[in-house]
Amino acid sequence: MLSCLTLLSIAAAADIQSLRISNRLIVSGLFLGCSFQVLELGMKGIGVFLINVSIPVILFYLLFLIRALGAGDIKLFSMIGGIWDLRMLCITIAVSFLVAAVMSFCKILYYRNFILRLRIFREYIEHVLSCRRLVQYPQESQGNQHIIHFSIAILIGCAIAMEVAY
């Protein structure tokens, strides 16, 4: 569906520009998804819509708590779930995380900080295990070296999923 890719493209552009994704854009996508589900499945579509929208929130809540994934990214996955079916959502999630892993690895290679990132990750895991509670992942003051725009990975993941699933 071209409308889904259009919304995701706008979200990725906004994320790059301002590190934020507009809630108006998300609400537009959710409205579109609910409309599609009702047109396709009748009143049963509302239930399917609500379930598909809830799955990303439930799955990624812990990643949000440690700031490994932003709220906008989770809302984008919910939007995709609302527009598409569960199979498409799952494929998009899997492909998006693979794309994000490649993006992260390329960024690590570009900044040549692989050892530093491993050390920070090890220290974080040690801290979580010793405290026995989740804490926010550390943010260093070296600019945006540790940030990737996950919305780009979601856009690419959805485009690939559309090719694979349909």
Side-chain angles (χ1 to χ4, degrees):
M1 230 182 269
L2 187 59
S3 55
C4 183
L5 290 178
T6 302
L7 290 171
L8 290 173
S9 297
I10 295 168
D15 187 20
I16 291 167
Q17 184 178 13
S18 66
L19 296 177
R20 296 189 48 84
I21 297 169
S22 166
N23 283 332
R24 288 181 184 168
L25 180 74
I26 300 296
V27 169
S28 298
L30 291 174
F31 178 76
L32 183 69
C34 188
S35 301
F36 285 151
Q37 295 296 350
V38 169
L39 285 173
E40 187 174 318
L41 303 172
M43 292 309 286
K44 180 184 172 190
I46 294 173
V48 170
F49 170 80
L50 292 174
I51 290 170
N52 288 356
V53 166
S54 301
I55 288 171
V57 176
I58 295 165
L59 282 176
F60 301 128
Y61 181 68
L62 288 178
L63 290 177
F64 170 73
L65 284 180
I66 64 171
R67 303 292 185 248
L69 200 59
D73 303 321
I74 296 171
K75 290 185 263 186
L76 286 178
F77 279 130
S78 290
M79 185 181 76
I80 292 166
I83 293 172
W84 293 97
D85 59 10
L86 186 59
R87 179 174 182 258
M88 178 69 171
L89 174 63
C90 291
I91 293 170
T92 299
I93 288 171
V95 174
S96 297
F97 274 92
L98 288 173
V99 169
V102 170
M103 290 170 59
S104 296
F105 188 69
C106 290
K107 198 162 191 178
I108 285 171
L109 291 177
Y110 177 79
Y111 285 108
R112 299 178 185 170
N113 62 359
F114 183 71
I115 302 300
L116 172 66
R117 299 305 314 161
L118 283 178
R119 186 177 50 90
I120 291 170
F121 180 69
R122 186 199 73 213
E123 290 170 358
Y124 173 76
I125 295 297
E126 288 173 352
H127 181 74
V128 167
L129 292 175
S130 68
C131 293
R132 290 195 168 104
R133 65 184 180 91
L134 287 178
V135 294
Q136 184 175 339
Y137 196 78
Q139 309 287 321
E140 71 260 5
S141 59
Q142 297 173 336
N144 291 335
Q145 289 184 10
H146 63 285
I147 294 174
I148 64 162
H149 296 284
F150 201 82
S151 58
I152 296 170
I154 295 171
L155 171 61
I156 294 168
C158 187
I160 292 172
M162 287 172 64
E163 286 297 315
V164 170
Y166 296 99

